[in-house]
Amino acid sequence: MLAYIVRRLLQLIPVFIGATLLIYFLVFAMPGDPIAALFGDKQPSDALLNELRAQYHLDDPFIVQYWYYITGIFRGDMGTTFSGQSVNEVLARTLPVTARLAVMSIAIEFTLSIIVGTVSALRKGKLFDNAALIAGLIFLSIPVFVLGFVAQYFLAIKLGWFKPTVGADNGWNGLWLPAIVLGVSLFATSMRLMRGSVIDTLNQDWVRTAYSKGLPRGRVLPVHVLRNSLIPMITNSATNFGVLLVGATVTEAVFNIPGVGNTLFQATIRHEGPTIVSFVTVFVILYVLVNLLVDLLYGLLDPRIRYVK
């Protein structure tokens, strides 16, 4: 187990170098002058433009810019935005907000998927199963921004259960409505995975053996069925967590959430290389670590899985 963890952590090194190099190159290759774009329709002097380009090393070759960035990373300095803020400070301010939103969304998706998927599998072909599949298809077909506006109108404005926007109130309590929207939007795929996994597990020999030995259903379902059926669900939820960290831009815009998505979108528009690369690098590392934890969790859920050389 320890050797497996060390080997997976060592894989972070080429992933880190490859991700930062590729993203930095893509930002470097983007057309346009980001410094000139800062002034809009105004025409600053050439001396001022050259001074700003030199300050951000934009007049240096690509490999030199990347060297400045990567050496700064090892010193704990992720660079400076074009507005003069430290990327470290921007990341420290926005990442916790998006992380809270992602955790809450995954928790809602995971809970709904386990309950509805398991009941649907146990009632295969009956009314509840058909209704759950239809509801899943509906939620899967509705774009997340439409679902967000509908939730705002009915749950926040009409019923008054939540605040319509988040803004500065971005603690755990203030993120419930966008978390519900994201969780429900992810629910359909996970529920169908859980349903199919439970149905497949119910037909396994060890489940029939457990029943033949006289074990009650209350023992067989949680220990022998659910435990082995969770693996596809956990894999899908781990993938969704990584997607939510970087891909909740639309939801953050709808609910005015000061998170990573909005910040990364604005940085892309302004061609802020250090901001984009630093954010993506942190996401890559978090994604690898989350998947490592998921791989280790497999061994707890299924005793047949062992991590050997």
Side-chain angles (χ1 to χ4, degrees):
M1 175 71 77
L2 180 60
Y4 174 79
I5 295 176
V6 172
R7 187 165 62 250
R8 287 293 300 270
L9 291 177
L10 289 176
Q11 291 175 0
L12 275 175
I13 298 175
V15 170
F16 170 79
I17 295 175
T20 54
L21 184 62
L22 177 61
I23 299 300
Y24 211 103
F25 174 77
L26 292 176
V27 174
F28 180 84
M30 291 174 68
D33 186 352
I35 296 299
L38 291 175
F39 295 92
D41 297 333
K42 299 179 181 179
Q43 295 294 329
S45 64
D46 292 339
L48 178 59
L49 290 176
N50 292 332
E51 181 181 351
L52 290 174
R53 292 192 186 102
Q55 177 181 344
Y56 292 101
H57 307 290
L58 297 179
D59 52 352
D60 293 325
F62 161 72
I63 195 65
V64 176
Q65 292 186 38
Y66 179 74
W67 173 254
Y68 279 122
Y69 171 76
I70 205 68
T71 53
I73 287 289
F74 289 115
R75 294 195 307 268
D77 180 15
M78 293 186 176
T80 307
T81 67
F82 289 159
S83 60
Q85 291 181 290
S86 169
V87 176
N88 295 26
E89 296 177 358
V90 176
L91 190 62
R93 184 177 66 250
T94 58
L95 183 59
V97 179
T98 302
R100 285 194 293 269
L101 178 61
V103 169
M104 295 173 68
S105 303
I106 292 298
I108 293 171
E109 172 228 356
F110 201 75
T111 303
L112 286 176
S113 300
I114 290 177
I115 295 174
V116 178
T118 303
V119 176
S120 294
L122 296 175
R123 298 177 177 270
K124 181 182 177 182
K126 297 183 179 180
L127 178 61
F128 184 90
D129 182 33
N130 294 328
L133 292 176
I134 292 174
L137 288 175
I138 292 175
F139 286 124
L140 189 63
S141 62
I142 299 178
V144 67
F145 66 90
V146 175
L147 196 60
F149 285 130
V150 171
Q152 273 183 327
Y153 181 74
F154 287 102
L155 299 182
I157 297 176
K158 287 295 183 180
L159 298 177
W161 292 352
F162 306 96
K163 292 183 178 179
T165 57
V166 175
D169 184 20
N170 50 54
W172 294 98
N173 291 332
L175 293 172
W176 273 113
L177 185 57
I180 291 173
V181 170
L182 285 174
V184 170
S185 68
L186 298 171
F187 154 77
T189 303
S190 300
M191 183 271 292
R192 293 171 69 90
L193 277 174
M194 188 66 186
R195 176 184 178 272
S197 183
V198 171
I199 291 174
D200 181 65
T201 306
L202 286 171
N203 295 321
Q204 297 299 319
D205 291 337
W206 70 78
V207 176
R208 289 193 289 267
T209 301
Y211 278 123
S212 67
K213 289 182 176 180
L215 291 178
R217 192 179 189 185
R219 171 73 177 175
V220 174
L221 286 179
V223 176
H224 297 277
V225 177
L226 289 182
R227 183 174 177 179
N228 289 280
S229 302
L230 283 175
I231 291 180
M233 262 282 299
I234 291 177
T235 303
N236 184 68
S237 296
T239 303
N240 288 337
F241 183 79
V243 172
L244 287 175
L245 279 179
V246 70
T249 306
V250 175
T251 306
E252 290 186 359
V254 170
F255 291 97
N256 189 30
I257 302 173
V260 166
N262 276 332
T263 305
L264 191 58
F265 176 71
Q266 295 299 326
T268 304
I269 294 178
R270 294 190 294 266
H271 295 192
E272 287 186 2
T275 306
I276 298 172
V277 181
S278 297
F279 274 52
V280 173
T281 302
V282 171
F283 296 152
V284 168
I285 294 174
L286 288 176
Y287 191 75
V288 172
L289 292 177
V290 168
N291 278 273
L292 173 60
L293 293 176
V294 169
D295 288 346
L296 297 177
L297 188 58
Y298 289 162
L300 298 177
L301 293 173
D302 191 342
R304 297 170 299 175
I305 298 176
R306 290 291 181 268
Y307 299 102
V308 296
K309 295 181 179 180

